[in-house]
Amino acid sequence: MSKITKVNGKLIVPDIVTIPFIEGDGVGAEITPVCQEIVNAAVAKAYKGKRRIEWKEILAGGKAFDQTGEWLPEDTLQAFREYLVGIKGPLTTPIGGGIRSLNVALRQTLDLFVCLRPVRWFKGVVSPIKEPQKVDMVIFRENTEDIYAGIEWKQGTPEAEKFLKFLTEEMNVTKIRFPKTSSFGIKPVSIEGTERLVRAAIKYAIDNNRPNVTFVHKGNIMKFTEGGFKLWGYDLAEREFKDKVFTMLQYEKIKNESGADKAKEALDKAKAEHKIIIKDCICDAFLQNTLLIPEEYSVIATMNLNGDYISDQLAAMVGGIGIAPGANINYDSGYAIFEATHGTAPNIAGKNIVNPSSLVLSSVMMLEYLGWNEAGEIIEKALESSFQEGMATEDLARFMPQGTSLKTTEFGNTIIKLINETK
């Protein structure tokens, strides 16, 4: 089996490459084979047999537990380490003890510090907003820190009481309104975690000719965690990318020293020189702005919880999470797991009606990560052609004028037909 390697910071991808995949629970058994067939067709069309993917199944979730007694076997983690790049369907969260979330466990174990979520509108998809074509953003969500670190103590436990005693007796904390009935959580946000996320976001903006990067935070309230994220992000931008960016801190400095006209002149000059504009926005204002002026935002860098909310709102603005792709990436090690961003949907599992587009578009991201952009473009064009013709699964077709509802397998066959007709 042919493996991807990383040499001098660059991925080396063989023409015949092995990609580990997790089928997923619930609807995973339906969307995964359809996705693989679409990817195989696009790769064959783009490279006329010179390139090919060999799919290697590995286990996690319910299927893994049934076969091995483990939710996330070590063999699965080792396969991702060995082959670097993989893809997965949705996974069941175990009930009761053990792993809180398989997705979080994968991200933290492999240190996949970026949750990458591109959001764009496809012609033909009905949106709840008037001008969905203005929504074109890529979210870099920090994946390993914030409250998702899972550092919590339940109300009434000895651990919670011990933590409360530490806060009140040693740290002189007096602002806990109901101390005896409170649970507690810790929100770690570090300089290193911030810098590697922001660095990845700015590099992406430079490489993809994106006009700006926005740090989204709640630093006006959480001054040392989210406020730190903002300040550390600006510092990293000015220190490592000073010739390629213009920050709004620079703008404010010029404005204070030389006036608003000089500051605007400097900003206009930076834009004319195609420098990346680095700015920030309070998260509640940002959520409002995405509805009012989405065209003003391109690349978003934010912390874990904010990124969760933002990703799903933006997905809803362009048609829903059913067409929202995602990836978890460590740009340093090269590890990357692409995934369906929706859940296992047990209520429709086995009915052949689920929309496979989230996983299909995540596979497009995977192809781009491999440098196989031509195959990814073929898939995107086929999807958009299908949507414009009103051919989609029920979740999208029911809103389309003269929409035709297709079964999951029928939709897959339609996309493959369009791929094969591509000139």
Side-chain angles (χ1 to χ4, degrees), residues 172-186:
N172 299 315
V173 173
T174 60
K175 295 180 180 180
I176 303 172
R177 182 62 55 87
F178 303 107
K180 295 298 183 182
T181 59
S182 292
S183 294
F184 299 97
I186 298 293

Side-chain angles (χ1 to χ4, degrees), residues 85-99:
V85 176
I87 192 165
K88 58 176 280 296
L91 293 174
T92 296
T93 297
I95 297 173
I99 297 173

Side-chain angles (χ1 to χ4, degrees), residues 22 31 41 78 117 122 127 146 149 178 185 215 259 308-309 323 384 391:
I22 296 170
I31 63 174
Q78 186 54 38
R117 293 283 295 273
F122 286 89
S127 163
D146 201 359
F178 303 107
F215 306 144
D308 200 351
Y309 298 151
I323 54 170
E384 192 155 57
M391 308 288 283

Side-chain angles (χ1 to χ4, degrees), residues 78-377:
Q78 186 54 38
F80 283 131
R81 294 186 185 103
E82 187 175 349
Y83 292 93
L84 295 189
V85 176
I87 192 165
K88 58 176 280 296
L91 293 174
T92 296
T93 297
I95 297 173
I99 297 173
R100 290 192 179 196
S101 165
L102 292 170
N103 293 322
V104 173
L106 280 167
R107 293 166 189 169
Q108 293 186 346
T109 303
L110 297 172
D111 197 25
L112 305 173
F113 62 85
V114 170
C115 180
L116 186 65
R117 293 283 295 273
V119 182
R120 55 155 289 195
W121 177 67
F122 286 89
K123 293 177 183 177
V125 175
V126 176
S127 163
I129 63 175
K130 288 184 177 179
E131 297 180 292
Q133 72 277 6
K134 291 183 177 181
V135 181
D136 184 10
M137 301 183 213
V138 180
I139 302 139
F140 279 72
R141 168 189 171 189
E142 203 289 320
N143 227 358
T144 64
E145 297 191 315
D146 201 359
I147 62 172
Y148 285 72
I151 307 171
E152 290 187 295
W153 298 281
K154 184 180 178 181
Q155 171 272 331
T157 62
E159 292 83 5
E161 291 179 10
K162 184 177 182 180
F163 186 68
L164 174 63
K165 184 177 180 180
F166 169 74
L167 289 178
T168 55
E169 295 183 9
E170 296 191 39
M171 301 301 291
N172 299 315
V173 173
T174 60
K175 295 180 180 180
I176 303 172
R177 182 62 55 87
F178 303 107
K180 295 298 183 182
T181 59
S182 292
S183 294
F184 299 97
I186 298 293
K187 177 188 177 78
V189 178
S190 69
I191 295 175
E192 294 91 339
T194 297
E195 287 189 342
R196 65 181 185 174
L197 178 88
V198 170
R199 183 181 296 113
I202 295 175
K203 283 183 176 179
Y204 181 94
I206 293 169
D207 293 343
N208 292 276
N209 298 312
R210 291 270 176 166
N212 56 66
V213 175
T214 304
F215 306 144
V216 179
H217 61 91
K218 191 64 177 173
N220 57 328
I221 301 299
M222 291 170 275
K223 298 182 184 299
F224 304 124
T225 51
E226 305 221 359
F229 178 88
K230 166 192 165 180
L231 295 176
W232 300 328
Y234 274 125
D235 183 64
L236 182 281
E238 293 180 354
R239 187 176 72 246
E240 294 190 9
F241 300 94
K242 60 182 179 181
D243 296 329
K244 296 184 178 181
V245 306
F246 180 83
T247 73
M248 294 311 290
L249 287 187
Q250 292 173 285
Y251 176 90
E252 291 298 329
K253 183 179 179 181
I254 296 169
K255 182 180 177 181
N256 292 335
E257 293 177 352
S258 306
D261 289 342
K262 287 292 184 182
K264 185 178 183 304
E265 184 180 309
L267 178 60
D268 290 342
K269 182 174 182 290
K271 289 180 179 178
E273 293 173 347
H274 302 291
K275 289 187 175 181
I276 309 298
I277 306 305
I278 308 294
K279 54 186 177 176
D280 73 278
C281 189
I282 301 296
C283 59
D284 44 342
F286 175 78
L287 290 172
Q288 176 181 231
N289 291 346
T290 58
L291 293 169
L292 299 173
I293 47 172
E295 67 274 15
E296 294 194 7
Y297 300 101
S298 183
V299 176
I300 310 304
T302 190
M303 284 151 293
N304 216 327
L305 182 61
N306 294 335
D308 200 351
Y309 298 151
I310 289 166
S311 298
D312 284 5
Q313 176 182 300
L314 291 176
M317 289 166 62
V318 297
I321 202 167
I323 54 170
N328 302 285
I329 301 173
N330 183 316
Y331 287 94
D332 299 328
S333 66
Y335 296 155
I337 301 177
F338 299 82
E339 65 180 355
T341 58
H342 54 74
T344 58
N347 58 313
I348 61 170
K351 296 182 179 180
N352 196 26
I353 61 174
V354 62
N355 186 351
S357 297
S358 174
L359 192 62
V360 171
L361 287 168
S362 296
S363 75
V364 170
M365 294 176 67
M366 182 186 74
L367 291 167
E368 292 171 348
Y369 189 73
L370 300 180
W372 295 12
N373 298 55
E374 300 86 355
E377 289 170 4

